[in-house]
Each structure stands twice: as C-alpha cells, then as structure tokens.
Amino acid sequence: MTELTHVPATTSAADLADHLRRDGYVIIDNLVPESLMDSITDELCPYLDSSPTGYNAMIGTKTRRTGALVARSPACRTLIQNPTILGVCQDFLGHASTFQLMLTQVISIEPGESDQALHRDQNAFDFYPFPDDYHVQCNTLWAMTDYTAEMGATRVVPGSQIGDQKPTDYADDECLQAEMSRGSVLLYTGKIVHSGAANRSHTVRRAINVNYCVGWVRQEENQFLSVPTEVARTLDDDLLKLIGYQEGAWAMGYFRDFEDPLRAIRGDAVGYGFDAAKLTGNASAAYADQITHSQ
C-alpha cells in the first residue's frame, strides 16, 4: 500500500463503518463545502492565535489546541452533527446503549513542529485493554486547511488497529500521511496508531478534531465546563444529548432524583424519568429482567 484509502462523499454510513471495522480508518473526500470551513475559521479566529502552544513533545511545543468548539462556533455545531458522521457512529458504536461527544478541538501545527509520537487515542482511558472487537471511539480529523505531507498531514499506520504491538514498536517508514483537500475528513478508530507529522512548510496546518465515544465512558473534554449553561439552553435537544445530557448506559449519569439529564436544561418541559427508547436497544431483555428483579 502506497497511499491511504479515499472514498467519495456519497459513500453510505454503513460502508464507512465497514471500512473502520476492516481497516481502522478511511478518508472521505470533500464531505463538507469549503464555505463551512470559512465560517468556522471566521468564528474561531479570536481564539486560534490566542490558544497557548503545548508544553511537551506529545501535545507539541509548536502546536496550538483550541477547544470548546460547541460554545465558541455555531458553524462547528453543524460539523459535529454532520449526518454522515453521526450515521457512522450509530453503526460503529451501536454495541453500546448510546454514544456521545468525546472532545472538540482545532489542532494548529505551526511551521517547524516535529513529528508527534505515535499513539492510540483509546489509551486516554488509562491504557485499559479493550478487546480487539470492542470499539470505544469513532474519531474525525477534518481538513480545516489543505492537508499536505509537507504541512504535517496526520500519519497513520495501516493495520495497527489489530494486535498488541505498542505504538513505539512501529517505525516511521510504516506510516502513511493522510493528505486531503479542505473540507475532507479522516475518519478513524481509537485503536489505530497515528500522530501529527512534522510541519516542513511555511503554513499553519489546521485540523478540526471531533471525537465520539460510547456513552458509558468519561469524556476527554468536559463538555459541562466547556459549554456554559446559558449556551446549553440555546442548543437543540439532539446536540444536548450528544454533549452529555443523556443517560450514558441506562442509569449512568442521571440527574438529581433519578431524572433525565435534559431536565437540568429544559426543566419540566421534559418528562420525569428516562428515555424509554433505550428499552428497545440491544440489551433490552437482559436489562428489563434485571430491573424487574431489583425493585
């Protein structure tokens, strides 16, 4: 293999999820128009250059990470709720009761930055050894600028999503770079080994990193702190659920007196109790039997 797999924007969510299960990644070309990236850039402009550079080699000493995108950019909310990506998450993470937003950030790799260390994103969960067939994350890196090898396009190690090799076991020549045009997206699992690459150009490489995860794990970016309550009240219910105002796995994350977390924002406009739709999920029979016998 000399280059990574690219597919057109018309590819179905089911086929994209199959790519993730088989290969651990796929690049979707031109999934959103450049005009959306223009809007996001305009809205985030006050924050991008004021974000601090990193303090170690892993997060990059010449790399800026700008978070809280739900609160700071309405156009980013459109990106986060892209129907194709949410369809992939529904399929790929469908073994869990729910999925949620893991983190949002713009990663700006500046000229002169060196290669980031190879890593797996799911190691954020305290290096917990998830089984090969249990996927905890569905991740995206959107090309906010053009994404060339010289600018530091993300390095990916094809095949590294399977097996127990450590990221440090892979050599640089096993990496392929995810070159793509602005508005395209690298979709990848938490298991595949990857990293930011050295920026040998004179241009800042920007990627919008939006990751999703199963609902029962802790989010990497604390959305309840990143999205102030006054902003949360302006969001639609679907986005509120995505950022964490839902039960993560049955009763996980309930509000106050065993209530639906949406009641924290919507009050009595939301009925007392939980989302009954979860009782029709994969674990419905076992769970229904369990709660019946625990009354």
Side-chain angles (χ1 to χ4, degrees):
M1 179 187 292
T2 57
E3 63 178 27
L4 297 175
T5 301
H6 290 245
V7 298
T10 53
T11 306
S12 71
D15 285 347
L16 294 169
D18 285 344
H19 274 282
L20 290 184
R21 292 187 181 96
R22 182 179 64 248
D23 302 326
Y25 79 92
V26 66
I27 296 170
I28 311 170
D29 289 325
N30 306 311
L31 185 57
V32 299
E34 289 195 41
S35 58
L36 179 58
M37 291 302 174
D38 290 339
S39 297
I40 292 172
T41 300
D42 289 344
E43 291 172 354
L44 293 178
C45 190
Y47 308 103
L48 295 173
D49 291 334
S50 62
S51 299
T53 54
Y55 50 82
N56 61 34
M58 186 62 190
I59 62 174
T61 57
K62 293 184 179 179
T63 297
R64 301 180 193 272
R65 295 171 187 269
T66 307
L69 303 188
V70 173
R72 289 170 164 174
S73 170
C76 269
R77 300 170 197 166
T78 300
L79 196 72
I80 290 164
Q81 292 181 284
N82 179 273
T84 296
I85 299 301
L86 292 186
V88 175
C89 290
Q90 187 67 53
D91 186 321
F92 189 65
L93 301 178
H95 45 274
S97 301
T98 61
F99 68 89
Q100 63 184 337
L101 199 59
M102 173 72 166
L103 65 81
T104 67
Q105 62 177 336
V106 174
I107 304 174
S108 301
I109 297 182
E110 299 183 346
E113 181 63 281
S114 57
D115 288 332
Q116 183 189 31
L118 293 169
H119 62 281
R120 292 184 173 94
D121 281 352
Q122 72 177 26
N123 287 347
F125 301 108
D126 211 18
F127 293 87
Y128 181 80
F130 293 100
D132 283 348
D133 61 352
Y134 191 92
H135 295 284
V136 70
Q137 286 181 286
C138 183
N139 300 340
T140 66
L141 280 164
W142 296 85
M144 189 174 179
T145 60
D146 281 335
Y147 221 69
T148 69
E150 186 181 27
M151 291 169 65
T154 304
R155 303 188 300 166
V156 175
V157 183
S160 59
Q161 76 278 10
I162 299 171
D164 57 1
Q165 278 188 263
K166 296 178 181 178
T168 52
D169 292 337
Y170 294 97
D172 288 343
D173 61 8
E174 295 179 81
C175 301
L176 296 177
Q177 288 188 260
E179 294 189 275
M180 52 186 174
S181 58
R182 192 169 182 239
S184 300
V185 60
L186 169 64
L187 185 63
Y188 63 104
T189 76
K191 295 182 182 296
I192 200 158
V193 174
H194 68 287
S195 81
N199 188 342
R200 304 183 303 277
S201 75
H202 300 290
T203 305
V204 177
R205 188 228 75 178
R206 287 198 170 105
I208 303 172
N209 182 204
V210 180
N211 293 350
Y212 308 84
C213 60
V214 295
W216 60 268
V217 297
R218 184 171 183 176
Q219 295 156 294
E220 191 167 345
E221 180 187 19
N222 190 320
Q223 297 297 324
F224 304 109
L225 298 179
S226 292
V227 183
T229 303
E230 60 269 23
V231 175
R233 290 196 178 101
T234 70
L235 305 179
D236 64 70
D237 285 1
D238 287 341
L239 184 52
L240 283 173
K241 290 178 181 180
L242 194 59
I243 68 174
Y245 287 92
Q246 65 176 333
E247 311 88 64
W250 306 105
M252 237 141 149
Y254 69 81
F255 169 61
R256 205 166 52 191
D257 303 326
F258 213 69
E259 300 168 60
D260 188 322
L262 269 180
R263 286 172 63 87
I265 299 298
R266 301 287 188 246
D268 291 340
V270 175
Y272 188 90
F274 291 105
D275 183 357
K278 290 190 175 61
L279 292 175
T280 65
N282 295 335
S284 59
Y287 182 73
D289 180 71
Q290 178 181 339
I291 62 173
T292 299
H293 291 88
S294 64
Q295 300 288 327

